[in-house]
Amino acid sequence: MMIRDLYSELADDDEDVRLQAAHALLNSLSFAGTSTDYEYAIKRLTRGLASGRKSSRIGFSVALTELISQIFGMRQDGIISRLITFERLIELLKTSMKPEGNVSGQEIRDHHLGTLFGLEAIVKSGILYRPASLTIYDIHHARAREVLDLILELGKQKPWLSEECGFILYDSINEAYTAGTVGNSGYAQVVIEKVSAHGLAETPDGVAIWLRTKALYPGIEFPANTWHNRDPLDAKNRSMLARAMKNGCVPEAEQDEVPKPKKGFWSARLHFAWDTLLSWYFTSSYMTDLDTNISNFKSLWKDLVDDNLFAAAVSDERKSWGFLVLGKAVSDAPGPFLRSIFSQNLMRCLINQLSDPERYLHASAQKSLRAVFARAERDSDAGLEIVRAFLSENGTPSFDQITKTKTIDKLLQLAGGQNAGPLVALYQELIGRPGAEDAKTATVRRQLLVDQLLSLLRRQREQAGEVAIPLLNMLSTVGYFTNKDPSSAPSPPFSEASVNLFRARMLTAFTILLGNKADEKAASYPYLVLRDMRKREKYQGDKYSFALELDNEIEAARSNAWRAIKRIHKKEKLGSDGITARLGALNLLYCLVHFQLYDGDADSLAVLEELNLFYKNLYRKKIGAREDAGDASVVLVELLISLVAKPSKLLRAATQLVFSSYAGDIGAEGLAVLIKVLATEENLRGQQSLFDEESSGEESSGDEEQMADADEVGDHDSDTVVASTDIRSDMVAVPEAESSGGAQDSALEEPGEEILADITLAAIKIALSSGKEKGSKLDGDASSDDAADMDDEQMMALDPYLNKVFEEKGKVEGRKAQGKEAKETVVGLKNRVLDFLDIYLKQQSGNGLSLTLLVPLLQLMRQTSSKQVGERAAGLVREVSKHSKVVSMSAEPGRGGDWVGGYGGVSGFLYQTLEAVHAEAMVGRTKAHGNACSQASLVLVKLYGTKAAVELYAATWSEWHSRWPNTRLHAGFFSDFIHYRTGMLNGGEEREG
């Protein structure tokens, strides 16, 4: 290969090709190169540095670096250097880089870049700081001074060259230190002297070189005429250092004796000096006194970053530098330094830029925030310090609300994990002293902090206990105790609103914990909180006082309930797995009612009595043997219904847990209580029948009117939304034959409207007649239209009638609202009962009692005005059908006695139920109802026998045929049976019945 081809390959974009060409060129010169060959090679290489073709500058600079090292390096001991001198090398470089003739701006730029790469090649070759021996020590330093002058002068030509030239010198300091050869400290001395002599010590480049040299060579002599105490970080140099790092220029009044470099310019890239500046404090080798170092860094950060790059008057370009510095500092700073980074102006600017996507630096703020997240994810301890910085001091608990982001939420997620306990302790500290003087602001901040802790609790699936225990203790302490210890008292004191909030949030925490299936101890947290509250009340009376004033009756009920809770907990620890789960669920219910008692719930005393009755009947056999005790399952079901009727998601979750634990004990009488709720009318009368409300005669007469316009209703729950769907949006009107409630609504809407119409008509007639009489007296020839005009007196006479119209209209609208609310309540309770039945059918799929639910569910599908309730009822029918093969029809006395005895045995029960299903099918009006009836019928046929059911199907067919087309029953009801019977006959598995 010819030499010229090697020069061409040096510009190739492939790195391997470039390196091979450089290696071949150097080998050819070392074996047969003359002085002429070396000069030609240097000329070609230096000229190639000015070319922008492909990767010329990179390839030619590598070759030139190695060539210079070969000529003047230690390996050849100066033999090759006799062929070409260092002075000739510099001369060739200058000549090659000198523009000739009238050149364009781009050509000038290319020549500047070529000179930069050429000088860099000389420095990287190591000939300036790697002498062969002490005898040529001075020669190398003389060369260094000459090259450094060229580099520093080049940096003054264009602002964009300044940082590149400075980095060459900065990197050479590191290379000299790494080489560790004789004279390297002398080279560093030369660099510092030249930087100072050229007036560049007070620029970012000079600061970086100065600090790096001081870190690597602390023993050299630094110039005394630049920085006070020869230290750029000295407090007296702070304003000069801040100006240098902000503008990158030399103070004009202080550099009269040296040529001034070009003014600094803005670049989207952060200057490398910030790395050196930050590492001075962050590197462990400098942290001799941590507290002092943190204090110095905090002061430096305020002057150089907070007041210098984030002040209100600073340009957006400088603020963008500030966000880059923030990202770098957060990534590299040791944990103790992190709080100092999030300073006042920085946090203000960060919040402002994050809050509006249209802001100029919104993307920069987001980028720095990603660096924050990355650090918190990498180091959970650092994440804890970051959370503290964002919530206290210069941050705010409302950071997410102001910025419309989920910053705190994500930081909690990242910093949680192993630091969940310390994180809650941090929140306890902030809640006690939220940094606000007025009570209103403190209340708002405390609410935000508590809600953030609840968000953390939701995410701690496997380690919920680490958050739950300290969180619940804090909530119960604030909610039910008064702190009497001045040293730990909150500032400002908790307001009544905060106390009530903390009580409510404690119940919310219980709800979250009950929904965490990964936590086996979820049901035990209310007991643990009550136990700690009792201990605090009993043993820490000098520090805390119980905040509630309870009368004698409630205090006695509280004591009795706590004794029962302790007894149950003792049995729970000693019982088997099955007994433990049931006792734990019962204890949970006791504890929650206990908290209701604290909160002044009017029904809590009655609920406690029912709980005691159930506990005695089921677990205390001597007392449970009383005849008046009744079926324990009835007591339990009635109790659960009374609790689930309350608008509380916590009680809903707790009652489902209890029902699930005792589903095996629910007998026929207990199911009958649930069925009774499903059959309730969805109107005010139905609500009154459920809750035993007493109304006056006037209210009773208007019950049906109050159901007007109540077609669209939803789940009545004040503190939560049903997870499955929005009930309001799923309500549909039901035809008259399917919904008694719907028929009543449409028929009974008229009286109120008739009253309004009658009153309005009477008022108009009176006004018109009055106008006619007056018109006839004044002018007998007046037309009827003129006579109908009304004067002021006639209008005044009309006022009482108009007032009556508006009064009646208000009553009608009030009755409509009451009716709508009543329907919402009843439908919501039916949904809760369906939750219970869903649990029952899944756990007791083989229990014959499940068949008693078929007819009530079908009737519910037909009668309800709620689409969701109807669909859920159909789903439960399918659930019964799914497990029909495992249904056992044996009577179980332990679960309500011989429940089939009233039907004349099992066959009687099955046949009567089958008859009821067919009767229900005939009155249905929707396809979904007919399909559910068919499924229910086939379930019973499988158990009763197909031959015995043929006659019943034939009778239903005859009735269906005679009523056609005035029936909505689909023919599929009969075809399903035919297909089933055909399959049984073909399989030879038909049952006689």
Side-chain angles (χ1 to χ4, degrees):
M1 180 182 292
M2 300 183 65
I3 297 294
R4 65 180 179 216
D5 294 331
L6 295 177
Y7 288 111
S8 178
E9 291 183 357
L10 286 175
D12 198 280
D13 289 331
D14 190 330
E15 182 181 6
D16 292 335
V17 174
R18 295 196 305 269
L19 292 178
Q20 290 175 5
H23 183 71
L25 177 63
L26 293 174
N27 284 339
S28 65
L29 290 173
S30 63
F31 286 111
T34 64
S35 60
T36 304
D37 294 332
Y38 276 99
E39 281 201 17
Y40 176 77
I42 292 175
K43 288 180 181 179
R44 283 292 304 269
L45 292 175
T46 52
R47 287 175 183 174
L49 296 176
S51 173
R53 185 176 67 89
K54 293 185 178 181
S55 300
S56 295
R57 291 193 179 97
I58 299 176
F60 280 73
S61 65
V62 170
L64 181 61
T65 300
E66 291 300 318
L67 180 60
I68 294 173
S69 179
Q70 188 180 82
I71 296 174
F72 301 99
M74 294 175 60
R75 289 173 297 173
Q76 302 297 331
D77 198 22
I79 297 175
I80 301 180
S81 63
R82 299 170 187 171
L83 301 177
I84 182 170
T85 64
F86 183 80
E87 291 73 15
R88 180 59 178 164
L89 172 66
I90 299 299
E91 181 182 350
L92 291 174
L93 178 63
K94 291 180 179 180
T95 304
S96 301
M97 293 297 108
K98 184 178 180 181
E100 297 179 359
N102 187 16
V103 295
S104 64
Q106 180 60 43
E107 289 178 313
I108 295 176
R109 177 183 176 88
D110 289 338
H111 279 87
H112 282 318
L113 287 174
T115 304
L116 177 69
F117 276 85
L119 293 173
E120 183 181 19
I122 296 175
V123 174
K124 283 188 174 181
S125 67
I127 65 173
L128 304 183
Y129 48 82
R130 286 191 299 209
S133 65
L134 290 177
T135 58
I136 55 174
Y137 176 85
D138 293 333
I139 297 176
H140 279 262
H141 284 185
R143 294 173 178 176
R145 289 186 176 89
E146 183 176 0
V147 174
L148 293 179
D149 284 333
L150 292 175
I151 294 175
L152 294 173
E153 287 297 331
L154 178 65
K156 298 176 185 179
Q157 300 299 316
K158 298 291 182 180
W160 52 270
L161 285 172
S162 175
E163 182 177 349
E164 301 301 329
C165 293
F167 186 76
I168 292 175
L169 302 186
Y170 176 86
D171 191 53
S172 69
I173 296 292
N174 292 322
E175 290 294 329
Y177 182 79
T178 304
T181 54
V182 179
N184 53 6
S185 61
Y187 171 75
Q189 181 80 54
V190 172
V191 172
I192 286 294
E193 291 175 355
K194 284 297 180 181
V195 168
S196 180
H198 281 263
L200 297 175
E202 297 171 14
T203 64
D205 310 318
V207 171
I209 295 171
W210 194 291
L211 291 178
R212 190 59 180 160
T213 304
K214 186 176 182 180
L216 298 178
Y217 305 103
I220 69 173
E221 185 72 18
F222 288 89
N225 60 343
T226 305
W227 297 102
H228 181 75
N229 285 339
R230 304 177 183 181
D231 183 7
L233 302 182
D234 189 275
K236 293 184 178 181
N237 296 322
R238 195 62 52 79
S239 61
M240 186 186 304
L241 178 62
R243 187 164 55 249
M245 297 303 294
K246 177 180 178 181
N247 300 318
C249 66
V250 182
E252 297 181 1
E254 302 176 10
Q255 297 291 339
D256 295 332
E257 299 179 359
V258 297
K260 298 182 178 63
K262 298 290 184 180
K263 289 287 184 178
F265 78 110
W266 180 81
S267 171
R269 184 181 61 186
L270 189 65
H271 198 284
F272 70 89
W274 286 102
D275 290 304
T276 306
L277 194 62
L278 295 175
S279 65
W280 181 270
Y281 291 94
F282 296 162
T283 305
S284 58
S285 60
Y286 307 134
M287 295 171 58
T288 54
D289 185 350
L290 181 60
D291 293 337
T292 302
N293 206 31
I294 292 176
S295 177
N296 292 338
F297 172 76
K298 185 175 182 179
S299 175
L300 179 86
W301 183 270
K302 183 179 184 304
D303 293 335
L304 264 64
V305 180
D306 199 53
D307 294 340
N308 204 36
L309 300 180
F310 285 107
V314 172
S315 66
D316 288 336
E317 290 77 12
R318 294 297 183 265
K319 288 177 181 177
S320 69
W321 275 354
F323 282 124
L324 292 175
V325 175
L326 170 61
K328 182 172 293 293
V330 167
S331 299
D332 300 339
F337 288 80
L338 286 171
R339 290 175 62 184
S340 302
I341 292 175
F342 298 96
S343 47
Q344 182 178 3
N345 290 333
L346 184 151
M347 290 300 292
R348 173 187 53 77
C349 186
L350 180 65
I351 291 173
N352 290 340
Q353 297 298 332
L354 287 174
S355 61
D356 186 1
E358 300 298 324
R359 287 185 178 270
Y360 184 69
L361 297 177
H362 181 74
S364 298
Q366 286 184 316
K367 183 178 180 181
S368 63
L369 202 58
R370 287 194 292 271
V372 172
F373 292 149
R375 178 62 189 276
E377 185 176 15
R378 187 173 70 249
D379 184 359
S380 58
D381 292 333
L384 186 65
E385 292 298 323
I386 293 173
V387 171
R388 179 187 294 273
F390 270 77
L391 295 178
S392 61
E393 298 177 358
N394 300 314
T396 172
S398 58
F399 188 95
D400 284 358
Q401 287 71 25
I402 298 173
T403 60
K404 304 179 185 66
T405 64
K406 294 185 177 180
T407 302
I408 302 298
D409 195 51
K410 187 169 184 178
L411 284 174
L412 290 178
Q413 183 179 355
L414 296 173
Q418 303 298 327
N419 278 331
L423 199 58
V424 176
L426 167 63
Y427 268 82
Q428 286 180 297
E429 176 186 340
L430 297 176
I431 288 172
R433 289 174 170 79
E437 298 297 332
D438 60 299
K440 184 176 181 180
T441 304
T443 299
V444 173
R445 290 189 178 182
R446 284 164 172 161
Q447 178 178 351
L448 291 171
L449 291 168
V450 170
D451 289 342
Q452 289 165 10
L453 273 181
L454 292 178
S455 177
L456 173 64
L457 182 62
R458 288 186 180 93
R459 287 179 168 81
Q460 296 293 318
R461 308 296 295 177
E462 302 296 335
Q463 301 173 334
E466 296 185 14
V467 178
I469 297 301
L471 171 61
L472 292 171
N473 282 334
M474 179 193 66
L475 294 174
S476 62
T477 301
V478 175
Y480 297 101
F481 290 89
T482 301
N483 192 332
K484 300 188 297 183
D485 185 5
S487 62
S488 61
S491 176
F494 289 101
S495 63
E496 183 179 356
S498 291
V499 171
N500 294 331
L501 171 73
F502 276 53
R503 294 178 185 175
R505 292 301 186 266
M506 183 177 68
L507 301 181
T508 303
F510 288 149
T511 305
I512 295 171
L513 292 167
L514 285 178
N516 183 8
K517 304 303 181 183
D519 190 356
E520 298 178 354
K521 300 180 180 180
S524 64
Y525 289 112
Y527 167 76
L528 297 176
V529 173
L530 270 180
R531 183 195 63 185
D532 291 342
M533 288 176 61
R534 301 286 295 193
K535 289 181 179 179
R536 192 175 299 115
E537 185 179 359
K538 185 175 181 179
Y539 300 111
Q540 293 182 300
D542 57 332
K543 187 175 181 180
Y544 298 101
S545 61
F546 194 60
L548 302 180
E549 296 182 2
L550 307 177
D551 57 30
N552 294 334
E553 181 183 11
I554 295 179
E555 183 61 42
R558 180 171 81 118
S559 300
N560 293 334
W562 177 244
R563 284 194 292 269
I565 290 171
K566 289 196 297 184
R567 285 197 301 267
I568 295 173
H569 182 68
K570 185 176 180 180
K571 290 184 177 182
E572 181 184 353
K573 292 193 296 184
L574 300 176
S576 60
D577 292 341
I579 297 297
T580 297
R582 289 149 60 88
L583 288 171
L586 181 61
N587 214 8
L588 169 66
L589 209 55
Y590 259 109
C591 292
L592 295 183
V593 176
H594 203 107
F595 283 112
Q596 283 189 321
L597 189 68
Y598 283 159
D599 294 339
D601 189 287
D603 300 329
S604 55
L605 290 176
V607 172
L608 279 176
E609 291 179 3
E610 293 182 10
L611 266 177
N612 289 330
L613 178 61
F614 172 72
Y615 173 65
K616 292 174 183 177
N617 284 346
L618 201 60
Y619 293 105
R620 301 176 68 181
K621 299 299 182 182
K622 293 187 293 182
I623 303 178
R626 297 180 303 177
E627 295 181 0
D628 61 346
D631 186 0
S633 69
V634 175
V635 177
L636 176 63
V637 172
E638 290 179 345
L639 173 62
L640 294 181
I641 290 176
S642 67
L643 291 175
V644 83
K646 298 179 183 294
S648 169
K649 190 174 182 180
L650 172 60
L651 289 178
R652 181 185 307 173
T655 52
Q656 289 179 9
L657 177 63
V658 174
F659 188 91
S660 176
S661 300
Y662 289 94
D665 295 305
I666 305 297
E669 295 181 9
L671 289 180
V673 176
L674 297 175
I675 292 172
K676 181 180 178 182
V677 176
L678 297 181
T680 304
E681 295 179 85
E682 296 172 1
N683 53 28
L684 187 58
R685 183 170 54 249
Q687 183 189 37
Q688 292 172 342
S689 66
L690 282 175
F691 300 102
D692 297 327
E693 296 177 353
E694 296 182 358
S695 58
S696 63
E698 179 180 349
E699 293 173 336
S700 298
S701 64
D703 283 350
E704 293 179 341
E705 297 178 19
Q706 294 173 354
M707 287 299 298
D709 296 336
D711 291 332
E712 296 181 357
V713 297
D715 186 5
H716 185 61
D717 196 331
S718 63
D719 66 350
T720 188
V721 177
V722 178
S724 59
T725 183
D726 186 354
I727 303 176
R728 291 183 182 273
S729 62
D730 291 335
M731 289 298 174
V732 295
V734 180
E736 179 179 352
E738 288 196 52
S739 176
S740 58
Q744 293 168 359
D745 293 346
S746 59
L748 295 175
E749 185 179 0
E750 297 176 358
E753 302 294 340
E754 291 179 354
I755 294 173
L756 293 178
D758 291 344
I759 295 174
T760 305
L761 182 59
I764 294 175
K765 286 181 178 180
I766 292 173
L768 290 175
S769 62
S770 175
K772 289 180 180 180
E773 293 176 0
K774 185 171 182 179
S776 62
K777 292 179 182 179
L778 297 175
D779 188 356
D781 296 332
S783 66
S784 59
D785 291 338
D786 295 334
D789 293 338
M790 301 173 64
D791 59 16
D792 292 342
E793 294 181 1
Q794 291 170 326
M795 292 295 293
M796 292 294 292
L798 188 60
D799 280 348
Y801 299 99
L802 293 175
N803 291 335
K804 184 66 174 176
V805 170
F806 291 124
E807 181 180 350
E808 290 299 325
K809 184 177 181 180
K811 290 181 180 179
V812 171
E813 292 177 351
R815 286 194 290 270
K816 288 180 181 179
Q818 290 179 6
K820 184 177 180 179
E821 182 179 354
K823 180 179 281 190
E824 292 175 358
T825 303
V826 175
V827 170
L829 187 57
K830 287 184 177 181
N831 270 297
R832 305 289 74 77
V833 170
L834 291 175
D835 290 337
F836 290 152
L837 294 181
D838 186 32
I839 295 171
Y840 181 83
L841 291 177
K842 288 178 179 177
Q843 291 193 9
Q844 302 294 314
S845 57
N847 193 337
L849 276 173
S850 61
L851 300 179
T852 62
L853 300 174
L854 288 174
V855 176
L857 289 173
L858 294 174
Q859 292 173 343
L860 177 64
M861 288 184 64
R862 176 172 54 85
Q863 295 173 353
T864 184
S865 61
S866 167
K867 179 181 179 181
Q868 184 202 30
V869 170
E871 290 176 348
R872 295 193 65 192
L876 294 181
V877 173
R878 288 193 296 271
E879 188 72 22
V880 176
S881 175
K882 187 193 309 182
H883 302 289
S884 59
K885 292 184 179 180
V886 297
V887 172
S888 172
M889 295 305 301
S890 61
E892 301 180 52
R895 298 184 182 182
D898 185 8
W899 56 273
V900 297
Y903 298 95
V906 173
S907 297
F909 164 75
L910 292 174
Y911 186 77
Q912 292 179 44
T913 306
L914 187 59
E915 280 187 319
V917 170
H918 280 238
E920 186 64 28
M922 290 301 299
V923 297
R925 296 179 63 85
T926 64
K927 185 176 181 180
H929 181 265
N931 291 338
C933 289
S934 179
Q935 291 174 348
S937 179
L938 291 178
V939 170
L940 297 168
V941 167
K942 292 176 185 178
L943 297 170
Y944 185 61
T946 55
K947 289 185 178 180
V950 169
E951 294 182 1
L952 182 58
Y953 267 93
T956 305
W957 168 273
S958 177
E959 182 181 358
W960 174 73
H961 187 269
S962 64
R963 293 174 56 183
W964 181 264
N966 297 321
T967 178
R968 293 289 185 90
L969 179 61
H970 292 267
F973 181 83
F974 303 103
S975 62
D976 289 344
F977 174 71
I978 294 173
H979 292 156
Y980 170 74
R981 178 170 168 76
T982 302
M984 295 298 292
L985 289 172
N986 292 336
E989 301 178 3
E990 185 175 15
R991 183 177 171 185
E992 292 294 331

